[in-house]
Amino acid sequence: MPRKVTADQSAVEERLVANVLASFDNAPDARLKQVMQSLVTHLHGFIRDVRLTEAEWNHAIGFLTAVGHITDDKRQEFILLSDVLGASMQTIAVNNPTCTGSAVATEATVFGPFFVDDAPEIPNGGDIAGGAPGQPCWIEGTVTDTDGNPVPNARIEVWEADEDGFYDVQYSDNRVAGRAHLFADEEGKYSFWGLTPTPYPIPHDGPVGQMLEATGRSPMRASHLHFMVTAEGLRTLVTHIFVRGDELLKSDTVFGVKESLVKDFVQQPAGTPTPDGRALASGWTRARFDIVLAPAGTEPTPAG
């Protein structure tokens, strides 16, 4: 039962907030001043709202310290924390306003912690798997702008986990698998072989995993395939597509699922001819993902 706050106590707390806010009054950067004063207002509001105890505050400091200690060049626990709190998706929502022309721009979603620069280039119709285990999947689509014009030579970065739920960077042998980049053709068309996405848990052997366990939350992510698409004069798109029918679509632990990004991965029986004549002894899937890029400069400007 929260204790009652007297008028005198409330006045003490409000004076402190006012003093901290005033300490930023002379910040030379107006945007920094706005951000810091808003942060102070909300942080103090949270502390006062839940009547945070000193033991709880010390525990929070210890938690954030542990998040920092486990973070390295291959594991970003702070991104993981941002993701599971929905902060990553909220930032994406704020910075990717709906943009329409004759078509609605493809929705963005979380970047995730497993993107790697300098992924190998494959030709249109090539294979990103790199020997990673999993069911083959043919992905195809077009890249257009919001007026329906093809975007030739758009750069398409793709990366995904293998069927065991691991990205290549989670292995210790420096393999490069399940990731590549390619370019759309002159008509904006692209295609590649990948793996049929499967669900997997986010890394949950650290402080973020402990927080999820303590709060009764699952670490599981819905099955997905990552994309980052760039083209001159258009807004960079970071997104991924999800598998229709996946039972985790409504409980994705990083809140990344959007209905427009849920796609049909259609099962193809063994022996079904492939689009490029590839011989496959087993079944495979195929999916279509048509990408619509918003104009550059449609990002929101900071309030101030």
Side-chain angles (χ1 to χ4, degrees):
M1 189 78 174
R3 65 183 184 274
K4 185 176 180 180
V5 181
T6 66
D8 286 345
Q9 175 64 26
S10 183
V12 169
E13 295 169 6
E14 288 169 7
R15 279 197 299 272
L16 176 59
V17 176
N19 287 338
V20 180
L21 291 175
S23 74
F24 294 104
D25 281 346
N26 296 322
D29 185 294
R31 174 60 175 171
L32 179 60
K33 173 183 175 181
Q34 178 198 22
V35 170
M36 293 306 299
Q37 289 186 328
S38 181
L39 172 62
V40 166
T41 299
H42 289 285
L43 177 59
H44 282 248
F46 160 73
I47 293 170
R48 298 176 69 196
D49 177 46
V50 302
R51 308 310 295 173
L52 196 69
T53 69
E54 292 180 65
E56 289 166 339
W57 181 245
N58 287 330
H59 186 80
I61 295 297
F63 172 78
L64 292 175
T65 301
V67 170
H69 284 166
I70 203 171
T71 297
D72 58 25
D73 60 342
K74 291 188 176 181
R75 175 169 181 160
Q76 234 303 352
E77 195 82 355
F78 280 104
I79 290 179
L80 207 60
L81 178 59
S82 173
D83 287 350
V84 302
L85 294 178
S88 298
M89 279 302 298
Q90 192 67 273
T91 304
I92 288 165
V94 167
N95 285 277
N96 289 270
T98 300
C99 184
T100 60
S102 59
V104 177
T106 300
E107 292 190 281
T109 189
V110 291
F111 194 61
F114 296 116
F115 174 76
V116 174
D117 286 319
D118 301 323
E121 181 179 349
I122 60 169
N124 220 329
D127 194 334
I128 77 166
Q135 182 186 47
C137 177
W138 175 260
I139 307 288
E140 61 186 345
T142 59
V143 184
T144 61
D145 62 22
T146 52
D147 291 323
N149 301 307
V151 179
N153 304 313
R155 180 182 173 117
I156 304 166
E157 298 265 0
V158 286
W159 66 103
E160 64 176 325
D162 60 27
E163 69 176 0
D164 295 321
F166 295 105
Y167 289 82
D168 53 2
V169 295
Q170 294 179 280
Y171 292 98
S172 60
D173 57 6
N174 296 317
R175 71 184 68 181
V176 178
R179 73 175 69 244
H181 76 272
L182 64 151
F183 293 90
D185 67 16
E186 291 301 315
E187 297 179 336
K189 296 179 181 178
Y190 77 92
S191 59
F192 62 90
W193 284 101
L195 303 173
T196 305
T198 54
Y200 66 84
I202 62 170
H204 58 288
D205 57 340
V208 171
Q210 292 168 7
M211 183 194 74
L212 292 177
E213 183 177 7
T215 55
R217 285 181 53 186
S218 167
M220 295 299 295
R221 286 227 59 197
S223 309
H224 61 276
L225 169 64
H226 291 267
F227 284 76
M228 182 168 71
V229 187
T230 55
E232 186 175 355
L234 297 168
R235 192 168 75 200
T236 295
L237 171 69
V238 175
T239 194
H240 36 278
I241 55 175
F242 299 87
V243 179
R244 194 178 309 281
D246 186 340
E247 62 182 13
L248 296 173
L249 290 175
K250 294 183 178 180
S251 60
D252 182 56
T253 197
V254 306
F255 311 99
V257 179
K258 295 185 177 182
E259 179 55 36
S260 68
L261 301 176
V262 178
K263 304 299 177 183
D264 293 309
F265 284 73
V266 183
Q267 291 288 335
Q268 309 294 312
T272 303
T274 61
D276 62 349
R278 181 181 184 181
L280 292 174
S282 59
W284 51 285
T285 62
R286 66 184 304 165
R288 184 171 187 90
F289 180 36
D290 292 322
I291 299 164
V292 181
L293 299 181
T298 53
E299 297 86 352
T301 54

